[in-house]
């Protein structure tokens, strides 16, 4: 006959070891870390050329941008409000990162812009060692 220990587990006669593992505290810690990570994620939004942005039900407030790239529906680019080609974009990104190593790049793309162009702009920025990005969206009312 098995004896019940003071912790509610089952043990051997004479008070043997408790062999069950309680995973509840570990799950609690993981869920708290997940909530902290979700709350601490921020998005930076800035103004740029007029594009038809996708809508979201929620968004974070706006903050001052350090560098902004806008992609029009036809794939044309603007860097900080000036029309540029890819070579000028690379030069602009390189100069902006030289001024501020912790540069955040704000990317706003027209809803009709090709996904490949957006990915290419992000890849160019990563080539210039820019690793902090924000995607601009419009908040739905």
């Amino acid at each position: 006959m098995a004896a019940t220990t003071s912790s509610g587990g089952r043990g051997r006669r004479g008070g043997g070891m408790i062999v069950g593992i309680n995973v509840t505290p570990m799950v609690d810690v993981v869920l708290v870390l997940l909530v902290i990570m979700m709350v601490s994620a921020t998005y930076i939004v800035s103004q740029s050329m007029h594009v038809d942005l996708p809508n979201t039900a929620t968004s974070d407030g706006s903050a001052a941008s350090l560098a902004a790239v806008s992609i029009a529906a036809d794939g044309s680019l603007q860097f900080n409000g000036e029309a540029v080609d890819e070579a000028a974009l690379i030069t602009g990104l390189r100069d902006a990162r030289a001024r501020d190593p912790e540069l955040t790049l704000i990317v706003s793309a027209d809803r009709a812009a090709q996904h490949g162009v957006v990915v290419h702009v992000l890849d160019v920025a990563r080539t210039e060692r820019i690793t902090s990005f924000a995607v601009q969206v419009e908040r739905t009312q």
Side-chain angles (χ1 to χ4, degrees):
M1 174 181 287
T4 304
T5 63
S6 62
S7 65
R10 296 178 62 152
R12 292 183 288 177
R13 265 183 226 254
M17 294 177 51
I18 299 173
V19 294
I21 298 174
N22 188 358
V23 296
T24 303
M26 182 184 66
V27 170
D28 289 344
V29 169
V30 169
L31 289 176
V32 167
L33 290 175
L34 178 64
V35 168
I36 290 170
M37 193 171 59
M38 288 171 26
V39 169
S40 66
T42 59
Y43 296 95
I44 300 172
V45 180
S46 77
Q47 296 295 328
S48 61
M49 74 178 195
H50 178 72
V51 291
D52 183 19
L53 295 172
N55 294 324
T56 61
T58 62
S59 71
D60 293 339
S62 63
S65 72
L66 299 173
V69 175
S70 298
I71 305 167
D74 63 358
S76 61
L77 303 173
Q78 283 191 351
F79 181 70
N80 290 336
E82 297 180 18
V84 294
D85 60 2
E86 186 174 337
L89 175 64
I90 292 170
T91 303
L93 291 173
R94 186 173 295 143
D95 292 344
R97 185 170 185 296
R99 287 189 303 271
D100 183 6
E102 307 230 352
L103 177 71
T104 298
L105 182 65
I106 310 301
V107 179
S108 59
D110 192 276
R111 184 186 313 259
Q114 291 185 353
H115 179 71
V117 175
V118 177
V119 171
H120 180 69
V121 167
L122 294 175
D123 188 47
V124 166
R126 287 187 58 117
T127 302
E128 295 304 320
R129 299 180 316 193
I130 297 171
T131 57
S132 180
F133 302 100
V135 177
Q136 184 176 6
V137 294
E138 285 183 350
R139 185 178 215 171
T140 57
Q141 301 302 326

